[in-house]
Structure formats: C-alpha cells, structure tokens
Amino acid sequence: MTPPYTFQSTSSDALLEVTALRKFFPIRRGFFQRLAGSVRAVDDVSLSIASGRTLGLVGESGCGKTTAGRAILRLIEPDSGEILFHGVDVAKMGGEDLRVVRRKMQIVFQDPYSSLNPRITIGGMLSEILRFHRLATGREVRGRVDELLDIVGLSPQYASRYPHEFSGGQRQRIGIVRALAVQPEFIVLDEPVSALDVSIQAQILNLLKDLQSKFNLSYLFISHALSVVEHIADEIAVMYLGRIVEYGKADQIISNPLHPYTQALLAAVPRPDPDRAIPSEPLAGDVPSPAAPPSGCHFHPRCSAARPECSSWKYDLKLNSDGRKVACLIY
C-alpha cells in the first residue's frame, strides 16, 4: 500500500529544525475556571539536529526539557512554532500524514515500567506494532520480533514474558526496541538512564551509540546530567526556565562554558580528579516559578555575574565568535 505522504530530500543538512517553539499551560482558578495566568514551559525554543547526530538538551528539573521533546513529537500540541522534519512542517499535519510521520519520530520514556502495558507480553506488544504499521504479516511477525530483541541484546525467549519479569535495564532495552520496531529516523530519549544504576547506564549509552551508528539514527537526548550528555552528544543546548541559554558543540561547552548557568551546572558535577579546575561556585537558590519568571534574563536572581541591567535585558540568543550561541548580556 502506498502511503499518502512520502518524504522529499531537502537542501538543508538538518533532519529536524525547530523554530520559535512555544508551549504555555493555562492556570485557571475559581468556580468559573477563569484564566489567572500561564506556565511558560517552553518559550521561543529553536534547535536543529542533523542526520545521524545527537543533540543533548540539559537543564534542571522543571526547566521544560521534557515538554519541548513531547511538543516536537506532538504528543502535546505546541501553541506556536515550526517543526520541520525533512523540510515539512509537522505542526500543520493531521490524519494519515501525521501517522506516517510518527513512524519516523519516536520516543523512549524516562520510566520504562510505567510506559509498558503490564497486561501484554513483550512479543505481543512488538507484534501489534508491526501489524499496525504493516511492517510484517503472518509468520514474518515472529521472526521480526526475534530479530528486534536480538538487536538490543535480549534473548528471543523473552518474547513470552511480561514487563514485571524484567529488571530496570532490561525494561529500558524493551523501550528502545519498541521505538526501533517502526524503523524511525529520529528518537527523543527522555532521561533514558536516570532511573538506572551507573553500570547499567553505561551499557544503555553504549547500546544507543551502537544503534545510532548501525541505523543512522538522530537523537534528542534529554537529561539533567551534563556528565551523561557529554559522552553521547555532538551538540548541547542548555535550557533554563523554558529558554535555551547556551547552544553549541559538546566539546566547546564542556571544556569552556560561557553562560553562568552552564558554568554552575558543570560545577555541580562530581569530578574524580581533585586538581581539575571547577569553573564556578555551585548553583545556589531554587528555580523560580515558570508561572512568574523573573523579568529580563530569567537567571539573573541566581547569577553571581548579574548586572543591574540584566533585570530589563531582552532575551536574545546571539552567535558568539567561536560559533556557539549564548543568551547573556556579558557576551
């Protein structure tokens, strides 16, 4: 069967281009549920991911990382912005066209247990996916299920087991194979290793890198830990209160962070080398409410380098001389 929509190649090197993405959640109060404000979860976020590359999206809990990832996939509807996949705006799609695109854009959730149906075996789950997307029929289905499990290092015998019979690391492998089953090009990895032991984290990260090399996958790797992101990301976007404050090549940001917030995040990472210089003092204070963010630069109440004019500065992610983008009055 010929799909209603086929992807066309574009002149751009980017597989995914997101421009001015916004998602606000309304706050309603009172008997009549009148609008009292909004939570600015994602506010004017732009990013780009090339084919076969990984963008790490990092920041503290509550900064809007997961909301951005889900809005890109339209698991939640964005308020505005462009989401270009192969040059076509996913935000304007619907019906059968959107279903075809979703085959190419998948997600691996943070909690592998709650994202799996406890009443369906792993083989049954994968078989349902293959049949729904017409990727295999009849006897082909079982062979394809066995092949998929083998790809992520699981025995084909596990196909008859239920999610509760697996360890956390095995369940995350199942979450990964579920995303791979539909032959995607782009995967959002939403904190995929945060709930796992350190030794298991390394195994999952190595698996993701091997799969990326084998299938030319593109990743949006969402995490609060820069120490994890630096091992897998080609580029890093640092997010604070719904906005990207620094964006550039991973080695640049890790070795020489420019934004005070990025410096503070790196200062909080434990280092095995006591002689290694710490870029700044660890970050103090709590994240302000995204329903009432500070004026000007959102980070200025917690910033050790803040100036009086930071409270009225207009957000602007500018290109720096070394090729990265920074949203800071200093630069």
Side-chain angles (χ1 to χ4, degrees), residues 304-318:
S304 59
R307 304 173 181 176
E309 54 266 36
C310 290
S311 60
S312 58
W313 175 76
K314 184 178 179 181
Y315 171 78
D316 188 11
L317 190 65
K318 286 190 174 182

Side-chain angles (χ1 to χ4, degrees), residues 4 11-13 17 20 27 31 44 48 56 76 96 102 113 115 128 155 159 164 179 222 253-254 264 272 293 318:
S11 57
S12 173
D13 292 333
E17 289 185 279
I27 300 173
F31 181 79
D44 196 21
S48 176
I76 56 177
E96 187 69 8
R102 278 180 168 159
Y113 187 67
S115 65
E128 184 179 357
S155 170
H164 72 272
I222 297 171
I253 290 179
I254 296 298
K318 286 190 174 182

Side-chain angles (χ1 to χ4, degrees), residues 276-296:
R276 180 168 178 173
I278 296 177
S280 69
E281 292 296 322
L283 189 59
D286 296 325
V287 180
S289 170
S295 61

Side-chain angles (χ1 to χ4, degrees), residues 47-49 53-57 219-221 233 235-237 247:
L47 52 87
S48 176
I49 305 175
R53 307 286 283 180
T54 299
L55 173 65
L57 186 59
Y219 294 148
L220 175 62
F221 192 99
E235 293 183 303
I236 293 176
Y247 188 164

Side-chain angles (χ1 to χ4, degrees), residues 60 260-271 277-286 299 301-305:
E60 293 172 284
Y261 178 60
T262 312
Q263 294 172 2
L265 288 180
L266 279 168
V269 177
R271 300 291 181 183
I278 296 177
S280 69
E281 292 296 322
L283 189 59
D286 296 325
F299 185 62
R302 307 171 73 192
C303 181
S304 59

Side-chain angles (χ1 to χ4, degrees), residues 24 45-46 50 53 61 66 79 94 104 137 149 156 183 188 194 196 212 215 251 285 287 295 322:
F24 295 176
V45 165
S46 299
R53 307 286 283 180
S61 297
T66 294
D79 295 331
K104 300 296 183 181
T137 57
L149 291 174
Q183 302 169 5
V188 173
S194 63
L196 306 177
Q212 182 176 47
F215 299 110
D251 56 351
V287 180
S295 61
D322 62 359

